Amino acid sequence: KAGVTQTPRYLIKTRGQQVTLSCSPISGHRSVSWYQQTPGQGLQFLFEYFSETQRNKGNFPGRFSGRQFSNSRSEMNVSTLELGDSALYLCASSLGGSGENWNIQYFGAGTRLSVL
Amino acid sequence: AQSVAQPEDQVNVAEGNPLTVKCTYSVSGNPYLFWYVQYPNRGLQFLLKYITGDNLVKGSYGFEAEFNKSQTSFHLKKPSALVSDSALYFCAVRGDQTGANNLFFGTGTRLTVIP
């Protein structure tokens, strides 16, 4: 089974621009979560989507948004980029729903965003 | 509210020796606990989880973790360290909202296994 795929792997943007990151979950997984990883703040939860609905949201400004498509693929958008948005953005998928392993999250390699 | 603490930023251990990476947690209700490992320029890899049951959980690559409810700890262990175990290790707890599937991570512990 293919793992979680994130594209692109690297992005360079300038302040004020917007960016869209993509995540393809493991086949059969219905939940997709997004995390931001920075040296200063560590790993922080952004939001989770399950069956095209945002199920949970972290403490990030409204510039950060996401969506999930009917095939469970997810995108994350950051508008009006700031220098502090430079980070590794990680996507994780899980089965969601029920079952013994429903909540084990499997991570992609991440998208490294640099804001200049 | 939930949180995880990893008190050691760095752990050094000689190859072949046992290793322990410490984690304590705070959560309302029953804890769902996880360990992940991150290699350079890679995402996080799942090692093991504790939901209920035996306090000693066995996971991937020979790792295990011991859940201790009274001490609210979930330490990661391995009987014999390998150089290839050198990486960044994260302990995580699931959010305690009903239906939540988000993880709260510790700050990470960098493990270095010395040949």
Side-chain angles (χ1 to χ4, degrees):
Chain A
K1 236 183 206 183
V4 178
T5 303
Q6 291 187 246
T7 56
R9 287 296 310 276
Y10 303 93
L11 266 177
I12 300 176
K13 294 286 187 179
T14 56
R15 279 181 299 173
Q17 287 187 309
Q18 74 165 22
V19 67
T20 299
L21 313 182
S22 180
C23 173
S24 293
I26 293 171
S27 177
H29 284 194
R30 296 165 63 193
S31 170
V32 173
S33 297
W34 288 89
Y35 295 84
Q36 182 195 64
Q37 185 177 22
T38 60
Q41 300 298 317
L43 280 155
Q44 293 185 287
F45 170 72
L46 281 155
F47 28 65
E48 182 211 1
Y49 287 86
F50 179 78
S51 294
E52 302 179 65
T53 301
Q54 188 180 88
R55 186 158 70 170
N56 204 355
K57 189 178 189 304
N59 190 25
F60 278 80
R63 300 186 297 107
F64 292 82
S65 63
R67 58 178 176 168
Q68 186 180 33
F69 302 95
S70 58
N71 62 357
S72 294
R73 191 177 69 86
S74 177
E75 288 182 346
M76 189 191 96
N77 185 276
V78 188
S79 63
T80 320
L81 283 166
E82 300 177 0
L83 295 178
D85 297 333
S86 295
L88 180 66
Y89 290 89
L90 293 166
C91 166
S93 76
S94 61
L95 286 168
S98 59
E100 182 181 338
N101 296 316
W102 71 271
N103 58 358
I104 297 176
Q105 297 192 20
Y106 297 90
F107 285 78
T111 295
R112 186 164 295 281
L113 172 65
S114 297
V115 182
L116 306 179
Chain B
Q2 58 282 298
S3 64
V4 168
Q6 293 181 244
E8 301 159 317
D9 291 336
Q10 174 83 41
V11 169
N12 296 325
V13 63
E15 186 177 22
N17 282 4
L19 70 86
T20 299
V21 182
K22 296 179 181 177
C23 171
T24 58
Y25 67 90
S26 173
V27 64
S28 58
N30 294 321
Y32 284 41
L33 297 161
F34 302 81
W35 276 101
Y36 284 84
V37 60
Q38 187 176 34
Y39 296 96
N41 300 314
R42 303 276 292 277
L44 277 68
Q45 293 181 28
F46 169 74
L47 283 178
L48 50 81
K49 67 177 172 70
Y50 172 84
I51 307 295
T52 60
D54 291 339
N55 290 341
L56 187 63
V57 179
K58 293 190 182 298
S60 306
Y61 313 119
F63 284 94
E64 56 191 27
E66 186 171 11
F67 172 72
N68 187 315
K69 188 173 183 178
S70 63
Q71 297 185 4
T72 61
S73 66
F74 188 55
H75 300 331
L76 182 70
K77 300 183 179 186
K78 188 173 183 181
S80 178
L82 301 172
V83 173
S84 57
D85 293 331
S86 298
L88 188 56
Y89 290 80
F90 290 95
C91 181
V93 63
R94 199 193 73 173
D96 52 18
Q97 295 173 282
T98 302
N101 194 29
N102 54 308
L103 296 175
F104 290 85
F105 288 89
T107 50
T109 298
R110 186 164 300 282
L111 172 69
T112 300
V113 181
I114 303 164

